Amino acid sequence: QVQLVESGGGLVQAGASLRLSCTASGRTFSPYIMGWFRQAPGKEREFVATISVGGYITYYARSVKGRFTISRDNAKKTVDLQMNSLTPEDTAIYYCAADSTTAQGVSVTINEYDYWGQGTQVTVSS
């Protein structure tokens, strides 16, 4: 079992930056692909970013590419999401997730992830 806890959300103005962090506990998560997803009110949960086990491969949703950066520290069991140039369209609950079954590469679909955090709210005002 892996427990994931997100932190770092908040209320910011458009153009600001936020850094989300996800901390894992329980079994080591170092073998797992990690990802960030988000869900806005009235919308389905959507993929944001993912990072490979070693941290060498990353992949982003088109809507955040160039503004968001995902990173991981396996020794600290953390995965961060640096979010820059935020817009009101980025307002959502952000979830950290772990894929314990895919051996290589990255994962971009919700069904590939089997561990989820409770989420952290990000609100961007115009």
Side-chain angles (χ1 to χ4, degrees):
Q1 283 290 89
V2 174
Q3 291 79 44
L4 304 174
V5 178
E6 303 94 338
S7 62
L11 170 63
V12 297
Q13 291 188 331
S17 298
L18 273 178
R19 189 176 184 89
L20 305 182
S21 185
C22 172
T23 301
S25 61
R27 288 179 57 187
T28 178
F29 86 131
S30 57
Y32 301 160
I33 293 167
M34 300 297 295
W36 284 95
F37 290 76
R38 66 186 182 186
Q39 187 166 16
K43 296 186 177 181
E44 294 186 349
R45 192 170 299 189
E46 65 175 5
F47 165 77
V48 175
T50 179
I51 189 166
S52 62
V53 168
Y56 299 109
I57 303 172
T58 58
Y59 186 78
Y60 299 90
R62 186 173 300 179
S63 59
V64 306
K65 190 173 183 180
R67 299 188 299 122
F68 291 12
T69 302
I70 188 171
S71 61
R72 68 188 296 163
D73 185 330
N74 288 341
K76 296 181 179 179
K77 297 185 178 181
T78 59
V79 177
D80 291 349
L81 185 68
Q82 177 67 42
M83 306 186 296
N84 299 328
S85 302
L86 286 162
T87 73
E89 289 68 37
D90 295 315
T91 295
I93 299 174
Y94 283 71
Y95 297 91
C96 173
D99 174 1
S100 69
T101 59
T102 303
Q104 296 180 341
V106 293
S107 301
V108 300
T109 62
I110 291 176
N111 292 339
E112 294 178 280
Y113 290 86
D114 44 355
Y115 295 106
W116 293 84
Q118 293 299 308
T120 184
Q121 177 71 48
V122 172
T123 304
V124 185
S125 63
S126 58

